[in-house]
Amino acid sequence: MIRIFDTTLRDGEQSPGASLNMSQKEEIARQLERLNVDVIEAGFPISSPDDFEAVRSIAGIIKNCTVAGLARCTEKDIVRAAEAVKDAVKPRIHVFCATSAIHRQYKLKRAEEEILKLSVEGVKLAKSFCDDVEFSPEDASRTELPFLTEVVQAAIEAGATTVNIPDTVGYSTPVHFTNIIRHLREHVKNIDRAVISVHCHNDLGLAVANSLAAVEAGARQIECTINGLGERAGNASLEEVVMAIKTRVDVYRCRTRINTKRIYPTSRLVAALTGIFVQRNKAIVGDNAFAHEAGIHQHGVLAHRATYEIMDPVDVGIPASKLVLGKHSGRHALRDRLQQLGHDLDDPRLDRVFEQFKVLGDRKKEIFDEDLEAMVSQVFEEAQTARAWELASLQTTAGTGVVPTATVRLRNVQSGDVVTDAATGDGPIDAAFTCMMRIAGVEATLREYDLRAVTGGRDAQGEVHLELVANGHLYRGRGRSTDIIEASALAFLNALNRAIAAADKPPRISPLNGASCGISSPSPAPDAAECAQAGLRVPTCD
Ligand code: KIV
Ligand code: ZN
């Protein structure tokens, strides 16, 4: 049996642009439980009070999966992680310490013996709180094999029940990774006392291939994320590793406990809540994954599905038909469709989506899955973003030879006061942004602006994702409407409200800052010259 350790809520949430609020994280955790993953890594509790709360809350909600919290090998990290997972039915503390020469020398500035000591002490401390302890030698794939062997053995001796071998910078290849796992199995004397896990990043597009190679070499846990989210190019994608193991059982000769029919709904849920969309041609869950364009292929599939399809779309939970709802559809039909899309909403949230559904039904004849997903993500946003201001009305003028103007009225949510401002700009959106900044009293610079049609058709809703910088911090906003100027204004206001709310909160510790024993910033693979200059050995798998 291969254990599936899902790190969407930790490494996945480190994807640029993927930050999730508390209720979004809880919803994803519930869905991961329905998917039947073995372990949910719920976050990095020391990184911020919000992260801590999210891990603690998920630990209280989830009953059937192990809930893990990440910690560096420092006392404060481990104590915080232990506190966050302590109410879980099955808690796990995951401690990590970088071991490669390049991390030792440049990030941690510590010698091998010190790294060994930190790792052992970290595991022992974690063990004093929790029986289930996972240890990761960060950047393992670039660590000298004799040192890696020594650290892994010492970590098991200290009490680690899972040893996770990360390819932190996505540098490995399948043969290289196979050799590392084989080497550890042959040389770590107590290796049978722990489960070997792997955690692969996708910088070279090899994360899934490396994870599967490790399974062939004897690894029994794969760390992965929904839709392959994660630092930089992401982690191994859960849907790909799971379906590879299932489809090629003849090769891997093992199975996972995943309820594969939940894969597609989970992918859609994560895409909707993170706002990171899945590319059309993504394996397993992309829109084109089961689409056949060529006439020959269509003919073949009609004659016998297996001529061109190695998996049945039903097995990954792709709905048999694209159901279209309209304004006359009832609450029941809405709930049914949302469930098929992976959203098991509680009554208050369903009511809120239903309200929005009726409003949209008046503007638009047909309501598609993508519209529903956009509504659900908005409902989760609304629940958490403390809103200082809301849009009362917006009027713009634009056209050839006309100075673009906007008049914006914002309502102060606390006092109920409505404030009006008017401005000109490069275009009507720019003018509306100026009005909102002046009313809210926040100086912000727009960094990214992205507009996409949620569905096809001329009455499609536009969804705007944008990033602005205010008070030296980055804030993201999302808005949608059949009117793209309104969608832009809503997205900008969403980001401004986040900036206002964040002004009262302590900053989040970035797990990317290599403090005493932190997760590395993306660092390139060392080349021979760089290593020679630093007096290091080029990593090999000899
Ligand atoms: O990529 C990595 O090395 C990690 C560790 C914390 C497991 O995310
Ligand atoms: Zn990682």
Side-chain angles (χ1 to χ4, degrees):
M1 188 67 70
I2 302 296
R3 295 178 191 185
I4 296 295
F5 175 117
D6 181 279
T7 182
T8 307
L9 295 173
R10 200 278 297 168
D11 216 322
E13 214 234 356
Q14 285 170 221
S15 302
S19 76
L20 295 160
N21 67 35
M22 175 100 149
S23 54
Q24 291 170 329
K25 286 183 186 176
E26 290 168 354
E27 187 63 10
I28 291 175
R30 285 196 189 93
Q31 181 68 14
L32 292 172
E33 187 174 38
R34 289 191 280 266
L35 183 65
N36 216 20
V37 303
D38 297 277
V39 186
I40 297 175
E41 184 162 56
F44 184 32
I46 194 75
S47 67
S48 73
D50 284 354
D51 244 62
F52 173 82
E53 279 310 325
V55 178
R56 203 160 67 114
S57 157
I58 290 168
I61 294 172
I62 298 300
K63 303 291 172 234
N64 300 320
C65 318
T66 298
V67 176
L70 183 69
R72 293 167 294 188
C73 283
T74 66
E75 188 179 338
K76 63 178 186 344
D77 276 44
I78 295 169
V79 169
R80 196 83 174 132
E83 177 64 21
V85 298
K86 78 173 189 318
D87 291 332
V89 174
K90 293 185 261 180
R92 175 179 293 188
I93 301 177
H94 176 189
V95 291
F96 72 99
C97 186
T99 49
S100 64
I102 195 160
H103 280 230
R104 293 194 312 263
Q105 171 149 356
Y106 293 107
K107 190 179 80 170
L108 302 178
K109 301 186 177 29
R110 287 178 194 248
E112 285 185 4
E113 311 77 69
E114 293 175 284
I115 298 289
L116 192 66
K117 187 163 175 275
L118 267 175
S119 306
V120 167
E121 282 171 0
V123 171
K124 282 191 176 155
L125 182 60
K127 195 79 181 175
S128 70
F129 293 107
C130 181
D131 275 347
D132 188 347
V133 173
E134 171 168 332
F135 172 73
S136 292
E138 189 194 4
D139 205 17
S141 56
R142 293 193 298 170
T143 301
E144 308 87 326
L145 280 176
F147 184 53
L148 185 64
T149 306
E150 196 181 343
V151 177
V152 168
Q153 187 166 307
I156 298 174
E157 198 50 48
T161 38
T162 302
V163 282
N164 178 46
I165 309 304
D167 181 26
T168 302
V169 290
Y171 177 66
S172 205
T173 64
V175 171
H176 177 212
F177 215 50
T178 302
N179 288 340
I180 295 175
I181 304 299
R182 282 208 185 120
H183 181 95
L184 294 176
R185 288 190 69 201
E186 280 161 19
H187 295 88
V188 173
K189 294 199 179 67
N190 49 8
I191 197 71
D192 292 339
R193 283 165 37 200
V195 171
I196 303 179
S197 166
V198 289
H199 174 111
C200 298
H201 279 270
N202 207 27
D203 300 65
L204 293 173
L206 292 173
V208 170
N210 289 339
S211 306
L212 294 171
V215 166
E216 285 188 273
R220 286 295 169 264
Q221 174 177 286
I222 300 181
E223 301 200 355
C224 46
T225 56
I226 302 297
N227 299 338
L229 294 178
E231 276 281 348
R232 310 180 307 280
N235 289 66
S237 124
L238 179 147
E239 51 281 6
E240 293 177 23
V241 288
V242 167
M243 289 314 289
I245 290 171
K246 183 175 161 93
T247 309
R248 297 309 308 270
V249 66
D250 56 322
V251 174
Y252 299 110
R253 301 195 176 282
C254 53
R255 9 181 236 108
T256 70
R257 291 189 188 84
I258 295 297
N259 173 359
T260 60
K261 291 205 164 74
R262 285 278 178 182
I263 286 182
Y264 183 74
T266 311
S267 158
R268 299 295 295 212
L269 176 78
V270 169
L273 297 187
T274 56
I276 300 187
F277 303 104
V278 171
Q279 80 207 45
R280 294 191 78 84
N281 59 336
K282 163 92 172 60
I284 321 292
V285 290
D287 283 352
N288 291 353
F290 293 92
H292 301 276
E293 186 66 23
I296 293 181
H297 291 205
Q298 288 171 351
H299 182 157
V301 169
L302 288 176
H304 192 295
R305 192 185 54 75
T307 49
Y308 286 99
E309 269 181 11
I310 57 167
M311 291 165 278
D312 187 339
V314 172
D315 277 352
V316 286
I318 296 182
S321 65
K322 282 241 170 214
L323 190 73
V324 180
L325 301 180
K327 79 172 188 183
H328 299 296
S329 310
R331 198 170 176 281
H332 198 74
L334 176 69
R335 172 178 290 227
D336 258 20
R337 190 59 184 171
L338 287 173
Q339 274 173 348
Q340 286 174 25
L341 295 173
H343 304 282
D344 261 308
L345 300 187
D346 54 19
D347 281 337
R349 286 204 179 105
L350 183 67
D351 290 345
R352 186 72 191 106
V353 174
F354 192 54
E355 260 170 50
Q356 294 194 15
F357 174 78
K358 289 289 166 188
V359 173
L360 188 63
D362 283 334
R363 285 189 174 189
K364 196 169 179 289
K365 227 172 100 221
E366 294 178 318
I367 300 182
F368 297 94
D369 292 347
E370 293 82 352
D371 292 315
L372 298 181
E373 283 165 344
M375 285 178 218
V376 171
S377 43
Q378 181 147 332
V379 165
F380 277 100
E381 290 269 323
E382 282 172 3
Q384 289 278 310
T385 314
R387 281 180 309 152
W389 297 94
E390 62 188 23
L391 186 65
S393 71
L394 165 72
Q395 202 188 336
T396 55
T397 332
T400 316
V402 178
V403 178
T405 339
T407 306
V408 175
R409 298 171 73 234
L410 296 187
R411 184 176 300 105
N412 185 304
V413 175
Q414 267 206 329
S415 65
D417 294 345
V418 174
V419 184
T420 307
D421 197 2
T424 56
D426 288 339
I429 295 177
D430 180 45
F433 289 178
T434 303
C435 296
M436 288 191 278
M437 285 193 288
R438 289 203 302 228
I439 297 175
V442 178
E443 190 63 51
T445 317
L446 187 67
R447 234 187 57 165
E448 289 272 345
Y449 174 93
D450 184 43
L451 166 67
R452 64 169 206 119
V454 173
T455 58
R458 287 176 59 176
D459 65 353
Q461 296 195 90
E463 185 164 72
V464 171
H465 287 241
L466 52 76
E467 288 179 2
L468 55 80
V469 177
N471 310 320
H473 293 282
L474 181 81
Y475 299 98
R476 298 192 171 83
R478 255 192 267 184
R480 65 176 172 81
S481 167
T482 45
D483 172 342
I484 57 170
I485 300 180
E486 187 179 76
S488 308
L490 289 169
F492 196 75
L493 191 56
N494 179 226
L496 279 186
N497 277 330
R498 282 167 191 262
I500 295 167
D504 316 324
K505 280 193 181 170
R508 184 179 189 182
I509 297 173
S510 166
L512 297 177
N513 289 337
S516 63
C517 197
I519 300 176
S520 64
S521 313
S523 54
D527 61 18
E530 201 186 334
C531 285
Q533 212 183 6
L536 305 172
R537 211 165 59 81
V538 182
T540 60
C541 53
D542 48 347

